[in-house]
């Protein structure tokens, strides 16, 4: 493994093991609790993680007919629902046991793979397998946090995979500010995110209407929030009205940015 592959694999393993440790504390009622991921219960989250990793191992997928569910918005969503729907009759502890087995198989497989092999990543861009593992760490951590919020057991917010989340999804902030929120040329928006992890960045808009990282001071608007709130907004887990955000400066621009922050599909 090269350094990037090793780091991303370690982040992936840490968050899956954290989720499995959490699973061991869940009662029968916990598995059926709804999460902020639309349409999915706590058990469905574990089913999703197991299903994706089995796909990456090359296991044959389950043959099930997915009904037309309200939360399925596109073909990718329908594909993701296959693993979840196939496991809906399976008890939660059994789904977690499957994920534990799949994790060990993946950890045995990963050192045998070429970290530089070009594959399609979830953002629709080709990249080395090591980059795909950064997405796997991010995805597993995002769903672990879904489960923790649903059962009221916070933790692991400052995991290595949390930084994978930031590194992958913060790249979308210039697009959010410039294109989605339609900030005008010369305007800028600062994001003050309190953790750990802590992040303080500013996005400005150039004369051509393109967003870019900026050192502009003072910004046109500033959004201050904690790390978990940023994650929930960026992952589309809540609306701005449900988020604790302190907005300073141009309130109209702040509102447009908050309304446009959901980046994950």
């Amino acid at each position: 493994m090269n350094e990037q592959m090793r780091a991303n694999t370690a982040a992936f393993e840490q968050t899956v093991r954290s989720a499995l440790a959490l699973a061991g504390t869940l009662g029968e009622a916990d598995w059926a609790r709804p999460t902020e991921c639309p349409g999915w219960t706590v058990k469905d989250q574990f089913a999703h993680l197991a299903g994706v990793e089995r796909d990456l191992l090359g296991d044959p997928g389950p043959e099930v007919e997915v009904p037309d569910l309200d939360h399925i918005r596109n073909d990718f969503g329908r594909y993701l629902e296959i693993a979840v729907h196939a496991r809906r009759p399976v008890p939660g502890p059994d789904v977690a046991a499957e994920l534990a087995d799949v994790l060990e198989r993946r950890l045995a497989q990963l050192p045998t793979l070429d970290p530089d092999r070009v594959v399609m990543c979830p953002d629709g861009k080709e990249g080395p397998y090591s980059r795909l593992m950064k997405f796997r760490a991010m995805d597993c951590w995002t769903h672990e946090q879904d489960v923790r919020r649903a059962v009221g057991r916070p933790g692991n917010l400052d995991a290595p995979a949390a930084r994978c989340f930031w590194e992958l999804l913060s790249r979308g902030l210039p697009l959010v500010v410039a294109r989605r929120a339609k900030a005008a040329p010369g305007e800028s928006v600062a994001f003050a995110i309190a953790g750990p992890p802590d992040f303080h960045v500013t996005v400005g808009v150039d004369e051509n209407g393109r967003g870019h990282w900026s050192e502009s001071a003072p910004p046109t608007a500033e959004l201050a929030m904690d790390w978990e709130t940023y994650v929930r907004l960026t992952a589309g887990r809540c609306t701005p009205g449900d988020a604790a955000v302190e907005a300073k400066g141009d309130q109209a621009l702040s509102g447009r940015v908050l309304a446009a922050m959901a980046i994950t599909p």
Side-chain angles (χ1 to χ4, degrees):
M1 288 191 186
N2 60 28
E3 184 177 348
Q4 185 178 27
M5 182 73 161
R6 188 176 297 107
N8 293 338
T9 298
F12 159 76
E13 178 182 3
Q14 190 278 336
T15 196
V16 177
R17 292 201 186 282
S18 177
L20 288 169
L22 175 62
T25 72
L26 300 181
E28 184 176 352
D30 290 325
W31 292 102
R33 294 187 190 281
T35 68
E36 290 182 338
C37 190
W40 285 3
T41 64
V42 166
K43 186 180 75 174
D44 294 339
Q45 300 274 356
F46 283 91
H48 165 68
L49 297 182
V52 172
E53 297 309 321
R54 289 193 66 157
D55 277 356
L56 291 169
L57 281 163
D59 291 355
E63 295 185 5
V64 296
E65 185 173 341
V66 176
D68 291 327
L69 302 170
D70 290 342
H71 61 275
I72 298 177
R73 297 176 296 176
N74 50 42
D75 289 343
F76 183 61
R78 183 169 293 277
Y79 156 72
L80 293 179
E81 197 70 24
I82 293 173
V84 173
H85 193 65
R87 292 166 176 79
R88 287 210 163 100
V90 181
D94 292 350
V95 176
E98 179 187 7
L99 176 59
D101 175 70
V102 170
L103 173 64
E104 297 308 322
R105 292 173 59 204
R106 277 285 276 160
L107 292 176
Q109 176 204 44
L110 287 168
T112 71
L113 302 179
D114 178 3
D116 296 321
R117 177 165 64 92
V118 175
V119 295
M120 184 62 69
C121 292
D123 60 353
K125 299 177 182 178
E126 290 187 338
Y129 203 97
S130 57
R131 183 171 186 263
L132 174 64
M133 286 310 300
K134 178 174 282 193
F135 276 97
R136 293 307 310 133
M138 177 200 76
D139 185 60
C140 293
W141 180 80
T142 303
H143 292 295
E144 177 199 352
Q145 293 304 315
D146 287 334
V147 171
R148 288 187 175 280
R149 287 192 299 276
V151 299
R153 300 178 202 184
N156 210 33
L157 272 167
D158 193 20
R163 286 165 173 77
C164 295
F165 184 102
W166 171 259
E167 289 168 10
L168 287 169
L169 296 189
S170 66
R171 296 174 184 175
L173 288 176
L175 173 70
V176 167
V177 171
R179 187 175 301 176
R180 293 185 180 177
K182 301 187 185 305
E187 293 186 330
S188 61
V189 179
F191 297 83
I193 302 165
D198 301 281
F199 301 101
H200 298 271
V201 296
T202 300
V203 174
V205 180
D206 66 20
E207 64 275 9
N208 296 312
R210 291 190 293 263
H212 60 89
W213 301 115
S214 171
E215 299 296 330
S216 175
T220 311
E222 180 177 354
L223 300 171
M225 67 195 80
D226 65 24
W227 169 237
E228 187 171 24
T229 298
Y230 172 81
V231 170
R232 292 174 69 218
L233 285 167
T234 306
R237 299 308 199 250
C238 68
T239 64
D242 296 323
V245 178
E246 181 183 2
K248 298 179 181 178
D250 187 325
Q251 295 297 302
L253 177 57
S254 295
R256 295 198 305 274
V257 170
L258 288 172
M261 277 186 64
I263 294 174
T264 57

